[in-house]
Amino acid sequence: MRIRFTKMQGAGNDFVVLDETQGRLNLSTAQYRFLADRHFGVGADQILSVRPSPAPGLDFEYVIHNADGGEVEHCGNGARCFVRFVRDQGLTDKRTVRVKVQKGEIELTMNADGRVTVDMGAPVFELPQVPFNPAGLNCVEVNGWPVFDLPLGTQGTARVGVVSMGNPHAVQRVDNVDMAPVLTQGPLIENHPAFPKRVNAGFMQIVSRSQIRLRVYERGSGETLACGTGACAAVVAGIRQGWLDAKVDVQTHGGMLTIEWAGQPDSAVLMTGPATPVFQGEIDIPEL
């Protein structure tokens, strides 16, 4: 089967985008893995599928598969690329669109400067909904918010704030992200038994109350150059612990993201950042 695709990136987080507005491709888990493979396929952190509106009041449906072929709930950098794609491809002329994701709806706006602002919705703190099971873990309160110590065997212990931005995140503060044990602790946190659906592991260095540096070991993808939901989760965790102001620039290896959150549990997180097309092409998908 030959399919058309667009390669895009947002702050270095790269994607293969598929237009399924005229019909489903019905790709298998193995075929998503093939597309994401950097040696045999196109290469991407995630595969984004654009599908028709599933309900009144929505413009599109947005479906995400990780590099390991598994479907996931949300991707902030991908959401920015999504709205750039549907405008560039003439699928809409709206500057603001509402789309369905696995666990709800989000609103995306193309700004005049070419950057995209995504209304990521309110963070989720209820532990069963993350999902997260704290049984047996040491818990302390920082600024009235519970954080948890995750035992990681020979890699010590990680003290994390736990939050969902439509997908689960465990954020720890580090002195220097360049020296942080992302590649050793990251997989252990991702697969820690306290997270029944695995988790994205964030490593946050606070530069000032309005600026952080961030690395994220993403569930199903490994470390990426940027993670939009990870940036939102890190800022939310920093605000909850009293370390950050309501608007924060997040420096990732791939570029800068700006995150805003008013600090109220029901207030939405806004993320602004770049979305860039890289190239278009066609590829033969084997019957794996």
Side-chain angles (χ1 to χ4, degrees):
M1 176 173 56
R2 173 164 289 194
I3 64 171
R4 290 192 57 79
F5 68 89
T6 297
K7 179 70 179 285
M8 302 189 72
Q9 62 90 8
N13 202 185
D14 65 335
F15 309 96
V16 169
V17 188
L18 305 176
D19 183 353
E20 293 188 319
T21 57
Q22 301 303 309
R24 297 285 180 89
L25 296 171
N26 296 315
L27 300 181
S28 68
T29 298
Q31 288 171 325
Y32 283 117
R33 283 201 304 266
F34 173 82
L35 277 174
D37 191 285
R38 298 186 186 277
H39 298 286
F40 297 100
V42 181
D45 294 322
Q46 288 163 323
I47 314 299
L48 313 180
S49 298
V50 182
R51 296 178 181 174
S53 168
L58 296 172
D59 297 289
F60 299 97
E61 182 177 8
Y62 164 40
V63 179
I64 310 127
H65 287 82
N66 269 346
D68 65 1
E71 185 177 347
V72 293
E73 303 93 340
H74 206 352
C75 173
N77 288 326
R80 297 199 313 278
C81 290
F82 183 101
V83 70
R84 176 71 185 266
F85 176 86
V86 296
R87 284 178 53 83
D88 286 356
Q89 297 297 314
L91 299 175
T92 185
D93 58 2
K94 295 181 178 180
R95 299 196 71 88
T96 297
V97 297
R98 288 195 63 81
V99 301
K100 179 185 182 298
V101 292
Q102 190 184 91
K103 287 192 172 181
E105 302 171 7
I106 58 174
E107 187 171 276
L108 323 170
T109 300
M110 176 71 75
N111 299 323
D113 63 0
R115 298 206 304 165
V116 177
T117 297
V118 183
D119 181 337
M120 301 289 287
V124 175
F125 299 111
E126 292 79 10
L127 299 182
Q129 295 182 40
V130 170
F132 174 66
N133 180 2
L137 299 179
N138 182 55
C139 174
V140 298
E141 286 197 356
V142 180
N143 197 36
W145 189 47
V147 295
F148 301 89
D149 292 331
L150 295 180
L152 303 176
T154 59
Q155 290 298 312
T157 300
R159 176 161 290 181
V160 299
V162 177
V163 60
S164 172
M165 288 302 311
N167 55 357
H169 290 268
V171 182
Q172 64 174 302
R173 182 175 180 174
V174 298
D175 293 332
N176 186 325
V177 288
D178 296 324
M179 305 297 292
V182 176
L183 299 182
T184 52
Q185 284 194 1
L188 300 176
I189 297 171
E190 176 194 1
N191 294 287
H192 195 282
F195 297 95
K197 293 188 176 181
R198 298 184 294 162
V199 72
N200 300 286
F203 298 77
M204 171 177 63
Q205 174 188 343
I206 295 180
V207 179
S208 71
R209 292 192 63 84
S210 61
Q211 185 178 5
I212 65 172
R213 300 177 66 208
L214 181 69
R215 293 170 66 184
V216 179
Y217 193 94
E218 288 197 52
R219 177 184 57 167
S221 295
E223 185 180 8
T224 57
L225 292 177
C227 176
T229 57
C232 294
V235 170
V236 166
I239 291 173
R240 284 297 303 264
Q241 292 175 86
W243 301 331
L244 299 174
D245 292 334
K247 184 176 182 179
V248 179
D249 288 331
V250 180
Q251 182 65 56
T252 71
H253 283 324
M256 183 78 75
L257 302 172
T258 301
I259 310 298
E260 300 174 70
W261 185 54
Q264 302 302 314
D266 59 348
S267 57
V269 180
L270 300 180
M271 176 187 63
T272 301
T276 306
V278 181
F279 60 87
Q280 294 181 323
E282 294 184 349
I283 187 170
D284 290 320
I285 302 293
E287 296 289 337
L288 296 172

